[in-house]
Amino acid sequence: MDFKHISIMLIVDLARIYTLVAGVPVANTHYRLDISANAGEVSEQNARDLRDAPKSWALDDCPTLDAVTSKMLWG
């Protein structure tokens, strides 16, 4: 199992859930977190922490949220 991939997928899934609860259909994980924070479904700080989490892991080969999402969509 790829821990980094699984961790990013959890963040992507959380963002999806937050926007579903907020009732706003958006596709981009960063937008989902921003909109969820604006809707009050998650705090601004938590949204920022989730968005920046992969950067804080300080791993050279850690994929970005956008890269994982693109890979899921386009293979």
Side-chain angles (χ1 to χ4, degrees):
M1 292 244 147
D2 183 353
F3 175 73
K4 292 175 285 186
H5 180 80
I6 292 169
S7 299
I8 289 176
M9 292 310 308
L10 288 172
I11 294 170
V12 170
D13 288 343
L14 278 171
R16 285 183 182 144
I17 292 167
Y18 289 141
T19 52
L20 286 172
V21 171
V24 182
V26 260
N28 181 287
T29 301
H30 288 193
Y31 292 147
R32 286 177 173 154
L33 290 168
D34 290 340
I35 289 169
S36 298
N38 290 336
E41 297 302 329
V42 64
S43 72
E44 298 257 345
Q45 182 63 49
N46 284 343
R48 192 171 27 259
D49 289 345
L50 288 169
R51 191 174 47 248
D52 295 342
K55 296 174 194 171
S56 69
W57 294 335
L59 300 170
D60 293 336
D61 60 343
C62 183
T64 64
L65 288 174
D66 291 332
V68 171
T69 304
S70 293
K71 185 175 181 180
M72 286 175 44
L73 293 174
W74 312 117

